[in-house]
Structure formats: structure tokens, C-alpha cells
């Protein structure tokens, strides 16, 4: 039968009264009139889709491995190197952020107030030189005042310096007691003598000082004889030139040096002179 025959077409279009049991038969019956199915096998078969699916599966497996390693302390960690690198970079970034947040502020500069005075720089303490201690003045004895006792000490000190014996000290003290009453006297005859420290004046020719020694007789200059220490030294030097003075009386020894008009006047001062010498040498 020819396909174009109308009878043939009618026979072809006739539907069976019983539906077929096969689902494929049904699809074939209406297959020409349904929409075409999507190309599933072609989509899954493309390379980009397969790469994306593989990457997702890998990430899921990594997360499962990390969770398993953290949940079980006895199981050794098998974290992928890539996941460790990502976690390490995240920790470094977090640490940097925390450092910047915890950074202390720089201390503020404190400007001095206009009225504040600058603190002086400590300087080396200069030690002031100590003043020389004055020798203690001797306590007066034998009825002498302080000035007389001071002059007596000068006479005794010079004698000790010259290694003179105690009897020479007594002779010198008795002589000064008679000649000047143990005062350093200037002379009214020599106005020059008043220019030097003195404790009064006399008028016996040009005699000056404790021993009333005369510059015109060669004892020394006015300036020298007005110094008690020089006058005492001159007296002891003259006494040493007298032979056997140690065996003479105080009066005779003093007269041998002074050649006074009153040779017996020195004897009256011997006791006081002895007392003063003892006080100044003990």
C-alpha cells in the first residue's frame, strides 16, 4: 500500500484501544509533539563544569578532614598544605590588625609654663679654705695681764727655739720686766718707732721694744727692734757671748748684757720670772 493513500493514512492514525504497558511506547507515540530534552550528558561532559565540581568536592573533603582532626586529638592532623598556608596567612593578618589596635600613643610633650623657673644645674661644691687656727693664748700668771703674758710667751718660744736652758729664759724675762714691764714700747725720741705696732712709749734716749735696745748702739734697726721676736733673739745672742753667764746670778747676767745704770734692779723680778717660765714650758 502506498503511503500517500488516504486509506493507508487512516489506518496509520488509528489509536489502539488499550494503552500500551511500555512507557517507551507511550513516549514514542507522542514523541513527535513533545519538547526536546536537555542535553545532560553534553553539559556534564564539558571541561569547565567538571573542574568546578572537582574543586568543590576537594574543598568539602578538606573541611571534613580539618573537622575530623580537630575533633579527635588522638588522630594525627592531615591538613592539606594549601589549607595550612591559607590559615597561616589569616593568622598573620589578624595579628597585624591586633598590633595596630593595641599600639600605645606617643607620650605627649610637657611644655614648661612661662612662669616656671629653670632648675639650676648642680655645680661642684667649692670647699672654702679653712682659716688658720690661731694659737691659744696663754693664761696670765704672776699678776700679768694678757698683753704682758703674750709678750712673755714670745720670749720663751724664741729661747726654746734657740735651745737655751731654763735659766736663760728666767734671765730674759726678768730683764724685760725691768726694762719695759713686758710691754712693746716705742720711743718719744724716735717718731719712726710709733709707725710700728706698739703698746705705749718711753723716753729713755732712743731705747725701743721689750728690752729697750738702742738702734744707735748697734742692736738693729727701729723696725727690727720693734718686733718682739727679733728683740728676744738679739738678747739671747748677746747673753751667749758672755763667758760663764750660767754661773752668774740673774742680776749679774742681765747687767752683763744690758749694762744698765741700775745693775741691782733685775733681782726683784727673779721670782715672778721663774713662775712665768714654768707656766709657759709645762
Amino acid at each position: 500500500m502506498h503511503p500517500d493513500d488516504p486509506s493507508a493514512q487512516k489506518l496509520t492514525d488509528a489509536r489502539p484501544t488499550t494503552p500500551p504497558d511500555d512507557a517507551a511506547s507511550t513516549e514514542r507515540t507522542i514523541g513527535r509533539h513533545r519538547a526536546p530534552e536537555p542535553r545532560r550528558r553534553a553539559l556534564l561532559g564539558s571541561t569547565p563544569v567538571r573542574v568546578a565540581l572537582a574543586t568543590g568536592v576537594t574543598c568539602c573533603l578538606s573541611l571534613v578532614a580539618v573537622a575530623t582532626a580537630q575533633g579527635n586529638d588522638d588522630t594525627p592532623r592531615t591538613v592539606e598544605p594549601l589549607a595550612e598556608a591559607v590559615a597561616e596567612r589569616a593568622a598573620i593578618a589578624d595579628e597585624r590588625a591586633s598590633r595596630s589596635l593595641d599600639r600605645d600613643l606617643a607620650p605627649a610633650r610637657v611644655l614648661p609654663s612661662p612662669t616656671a623657673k629653670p632648675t639650676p644645674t648642680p655645680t661642684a661644691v667649692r670647699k672654702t679654705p679653712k682659716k688658720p687656727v690661731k694659737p691659744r693664748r696663754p693664761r696670765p700668771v704672776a699678776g700679768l695681764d694678757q698683753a704682758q703674758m703674750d709678750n712673755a710667751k714670745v720670749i720663751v718660744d724664741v729661747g726654746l727655739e734657740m735651745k737655751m736652758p731654763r735659766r736663760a729664759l728666767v734671765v730674759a724675762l726678768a730683764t724685760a720686766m725691768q726694762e719695759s714691764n713686758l710691754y712693746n714700747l716705742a720711743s718719744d725720741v724716735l717718731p719712726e718707732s710709733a709707725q710700728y705696732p706698739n703698746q705705749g712709749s718711753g723716753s729713755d734716749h732712743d731705747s725701743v721694744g721689750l728690752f729697750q735696745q738702742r738702734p744707735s748702739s748697734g742692736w738693729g734697726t727701729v723696725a727690727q727692734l720693734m718686733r718682739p721676736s727679733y728683740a728676744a733673739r738679739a738678747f739671747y745672742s748677746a747673753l751667749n757671748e758672755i763667758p760663764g753667764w750660767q754661773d752668774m746670778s740673774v742680776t749679774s747676767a742681765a747687767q752683763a748684757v744690758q749694762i744698765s745704770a741700775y745693775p741691782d734692779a733685775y733681782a726683784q723680778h727673779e721670782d715672778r720670772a721663774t713662775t712665768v717660765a714654768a707656766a709657759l714650758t709645762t
Side-chain angles (χ1 to χ4, degrees):
M1 183 178 295
H2 196 273
D4 295 331
D5 189 359
S7 61
Q9 293 179 356
K10 291 180 180 180
L11 291 176
T12 304
D13 295 335
R15 296 179 182 181
T17 58
T18 61
D21 296 333
D22 189 5
S25 300
T26 306
E27 291 178 359
R28 285 194 299 268
T29 304
I30 62 174
R32 190 171 54 182
H33 302 283
R34 58 187 177 88
E37 293 181 359
R39 300 175 60 184
R40 294 180 181 177
R41 297 181 64 181
L43 179 62
L44 294 175
S46 63
T47 301
V49 173
R50 282 184 294 174
V51 171
L53 290 176
T55 302
V57 171
T58 301
C59 292
C60 292
L61 292 177
S62 299
L63 292 175
V64 172
V66 171
T68 304
Q70 292 179 353
N72 188 5
D73 294 338
D74 297 334
T75 305
R77 297 182 179 181
T78 58
V79 184
E80 293 295 332
L82 179 60
E84 291 181 354
V86 172
E88 182 178 357
R89 291 183 179 180
I92 293 175
D94 182 60
E95 182 180 0
R96 290 179 180 176
S98 63
R99 286 178 183 175
S100 61
L101 292 176
D102 296 339
R103 187 178 303 163
D104 295 333
L105 296 176
R109 294 182 58 189
V110 179
L111 298 177
S113 59
T115 57
K117 295 182 179 179
T119 304
T121 303
T123 56
V125 179
R126 295 181 179 179
K127 295 183 179 180
T128 56
K130 295 182 178 180
K131 296 182 178 180
V133 180
K134 293 183 179 180
R136 187 174 58 182
R137 303 176 73 178
R139 185 175 62 87
V141 295
L144 303 180
D145 61 20
Q146 190 62 58
Q148 291 172 309
M149 196 67 182
D150 291 343
N151 290 332
K153 185 177 187 306
V154 173
I155 294 173
V156 171
D157 289 345
V158 172
L160 295 175
E161 183 182 346
M162 295 178 68
K163 309 298 182 183
M164 300 298 289
R166 171 74 66 85
R167 188 165 181 80
L169 305 180
V170 173
V171 172
L173 289 172
T175 302
M177 288 177 181
Q178 175 61 33
E179 296 293 346
S180 66
N181 198 19
L182 278 175
Y183 290 117
N184 190 29
L185 301 178
S187 174
D188 296 337
V189 179
L190 294 175
E192 179 189 353
S193 62
Q195 299 176 4
Y196 304 102
N198 62 84
Q199 296 165 329
S201 63
S203 57
D204 184 11
H205 303 290
D206 58 346
S207 301
V208 294
L210 288 176
F211 295 90
Q212 289 293 285
Q213 297 157 329
R214 300 176 65 178
S216 60
S217 300
W219 287 95
T221 65
V222 176
Q224 291 172 336
L225 297 176
M226 289 298 295
R227 296 205 312 266
S229 60
Y230 179 88
R233 189 177 298 277
F235 180 86
Y236 288 123
S237 298
L239 181 63
N240 275 332
E241 293 178 1
I242 297 174
W245 69 266
Q246 296 89 346
D247 300 328
M248 296 179 180
S249 64
V250 172
T251 299
S252 298
Q255 178 63 18
V257 175
Q258 296 295 107
I259 310 174
S260 173
Y262 308 97
D264 298 330
Y266 303 106
Q268 60 181 330
H269 304 291
E270 183 176 352
D271 292 339
R272 286 204 309 161
T274 303
T275 302
V276 172
L280 293 172
T281 56
T282 55

